[in-house]
Structures are given as structure tokens and as C-alpha cells.
Amino acid sequence: MIAFSILTEVDRGKCRRGQQGPTIGSCGMGITIRKLNVGVAIGAASLAQVPSVVLADNETTSITLEGGASLGEFTREKVGAPEGEINDDMGLYGSVETVRSISPGWDWSVGATGLNFAPTTETLDEEDFESYSNEFDARFVNFDIGRNMQMSGVDLRFAAGVEAISTSENKGLSAFDAPDAYFDSTISRDYLGVGPRISGDASMPLGDGSPFSLYGGASAAMTRGSLTIDKGLSGQDPEPFGSSGRESETASLFHGALDAGVQYSVNDSTSFRAGLRRDIFRFDSALTEDIGAQETITSDTAYVGVSISF
């Protein structure tokens, strides 16, 4: 606006007498400049209010950490022993998840979970010194996009995404018939796959203004990947002997999880939780059937956790 010429007093007099100024349209230009100045001033005042609305950051991020102890019965189920004769499989559970809102009612989440069972060794026949060992581990990572809504005071989240999962299982059988007669047999099953995953979660406060709430959820993933079986045999009767082999195939693994617990909110950004969780792993594999391995492995977990939002 500085580039426009400014009317002199003489020009203003000419304009009042209806004469044209020193430049064509300068009288009208003078009026236009004044109108433009007023419009720019009003527009600048309006734009000054925009950043607080347009640039407002309503996005939130929450991080949840969980840890606990897991129990399984897959060793007992494999051996076929009645309850009480063989101890439960025991393991550790750990999980971390990050949830980030991306727009009103929508968010994304990424999580990593590990189940690690300690090796279980059981004596099958004390007279013949037969023993059986078993070990199972599972690790999985998932990513999804979720839709959040509220219905009758219950917060709901439905999500769809992808899961990558890795499992490892080792079994062994040992027998000593005599000082110079024994054998050891080992079988390992390793799986690595990826596939679609869906989930649903719900939470409900225990009364108006109560810091306690109940939550629950379920998820299901159907993955497809590579399954490898390693077999080994060694012994002596009375001459030493041994063999080993490896087979691989494309197989499927279904992973389902059920989760429920109670949560205590310290404030708007921090909460603690305690719950129970069940994981189900179901293999669809021809090699699994050939070696007589378990098609379904189940674990139950009791855990505690903390969630921080910012």
C-alpha cells in the first residue's frame, strides 16, 4: 500500500470541485485505498484469532506397560497325564503399547508382546528313568487403526490391522534303560508369519465420578507363514547311534486373545490396571500332524500395568 501515491491538498480541492487529479482516477483511487486499508485492518484482526483454533493440537498419546506371570497346561495335555501328576507350565508375560489419536474418533496403535515359558521337565517313569521336557515361547507385534465411540456410557473401540507373530517350541524325551543303553529325542517347531487382525475393546466407569472402571477386550489374528520342524535322535544300545533332519512348509496360525480387568485412574494422565488374559495359538499344519505335535496351545496370564497419557 506504500506504493500508491498520496493526494495533496490541491488534489483534494480539485476532487471536491469535481476535477480530475494529477493522475487518471486518483480521486477514486484515494477512496479505494482508504476502503482497502479498512478491509485489511479488519482482515488482519480476524486472522489473528485463527491460529488458536486451526492450529490447536487435540492429539493425545498414551503408552501402556504390562507385566505378569503365565500358566499353561500344554505339557500335561501332551503327555496325557491327569491333573496333579505333572506341574503347570510357568512363564513370564510382558507387553508395551502406544496409542495415538489422529482425528476425532480415530486413532492408531502399535504394540509388542512376549510370552516366555521356562522349560518344563517331568519324570514319566522312575524305574526306567524316562523324562519329558517342553518349552514354548511366543512374540507378536501388531498395528491397527481404531474407531472410538461411546454408547450408553460405555467407551468402545473397534480396530483392524495386521499382526506379525513368531513362536518357538522345543520338546525332548530321554530314557535310560541301563548304564550302557539310553536315547535322547528332540523336536523343535518354529513359526514365523503375518496376517490380518481385528479387535474390540470396551471400558465402563463404576459410577459417576468414580476413579475405577472395568475394561475388557478380544482380538483375533489369522496369519500365514513358514513353519520349520527340526528333529534329532541320539543314543547308545549298546553301539552309539544318531540322526537329524529338518522339514519346512507354509502353514497357518490363528492367535486369539481375551482380556478383562479393573483400572484405577489417578488423574487424567495416569492410571493403573490389573487383569487376566488368555492367549490361544492354533496351528494348521501338515507337519504338525505328522510328528504328533499339539495343534492348540493355551496360556492364562495375571498381570498389572500402568498407562500414561500426554
Side-chain angles (χ1 to χ4, degrees), residues 66 69-74 92-95 113-117 136 138-140 142 163 165 167 197 217-221 253-259 276-282 296-303:
E66 295 176 349
S70 301
L71 294 177
E73 298 181 356
F74 41 86
L92 296 176
Y93 161 84
S95 175
T113 303
L115 279 168
N116 299 283
F117 283 86
F136 177 76
R139 296 157 296 277
F140 41 95
N142 52 70
E163 176 171 298
I165 185 170
T167 66
R197 176 181 183 269
S219 66
L253 172 60
F254 167 83
H255 173 221
L258 299 173
D259 187 27
L276 299 174
R277 174 189 178 100
R278 166 164 284 198
D279 287 272
I280 303 169
F281 306 90
R282 181 171 296 131
T296 302
I297 293 178
T298 303
S299 69
D300 296 310
T301 301
Y303 65 88

Side-chain angles (χ1 to χ4, degrees), residues 173-175 182-187 230-236 240-245:
L173 180 64
S174 300
Y182 72 91
F183 79 90
D184 290 313
S185 174
T186 59
I187 296 178
D230 286 298
K231 295 180 287 186
L233 179 66
S234 63
Q236 179 176 310
F241 62 88
S243 64
S244 62

